[in-house]
Amino acid sequence: MKILITGGVSAQALKMLIAFADDAIVLADYGDVPLFPTAKYQFISLGERNDDIIAHNLLNHCLNEAADAILPLYAFEIAEIAKSAVLFEEFNIRVLLPETAQIIPLKK
């Protein structure tokens, strides 16, 4: 399975690599990200944060990366993706939700 995990440059996202050791991982974050892919994961930029189109932006990136699932780690993304979960499912993209301790507080 290929999973897109947001908050890709955070410690929380890197810890997720252990939980999904058998999956291909796309670590995604806003702004600049490292550009060194490995056999198990790669980094991508989600562009600049735009709160008006969070779910749309994440869905587009999931489709572009052929992701089977998305795991949003930023607090501001979770509510938006929850509202759009049916849309993600229409594209066969599972929405995974983090445990409370894994959520990254608001990022401006």
Side-chain angles (χ1 to χ4, degrees), residues 22-86:
D22 296 331
D23 299 302
I25 303 296
V26 177
L27 296 171
D29 214 326
Y30 299 91
D32 295 330
V33 296
L35 296 173
F36 56 91
T38 71
K40 294 300 278 174
Y41 64 91
Q42 66 178 2
F43 286 97
I44 65 164
S45 176
L46 297 170
E48 294 303 315
R49 177 178 163 185
N50 181 343
D51 289 347
D52 295 330
I53 59 166
I54 294 291
H56 177 75
N57 185 32
L58 293 172
L59 178 61
N60 280 339
H61 283 287
C62 284
L63 294 172
N64 290 343
E65 297 297 325
D68 301 302
I70 182 168
L71 176 57
L73 294 182
Y74 285 121
F76 66 87
E77 297 169 328
I78 295 170
E80 295 302 316
I81 289 178
K83 291 180 204 173
S84 303
V86 171

Side-chain angles (χ1 to χ4, degrees), residues 5 12 21 33 50 68 74 89 92 95-96:
I5 300 174
Q12 290 94 322
V33 296
N50 181 343
D68 301 302
Y74 285 121
E89 290 169 9
N92 295 315
V95 174
L96 307 174

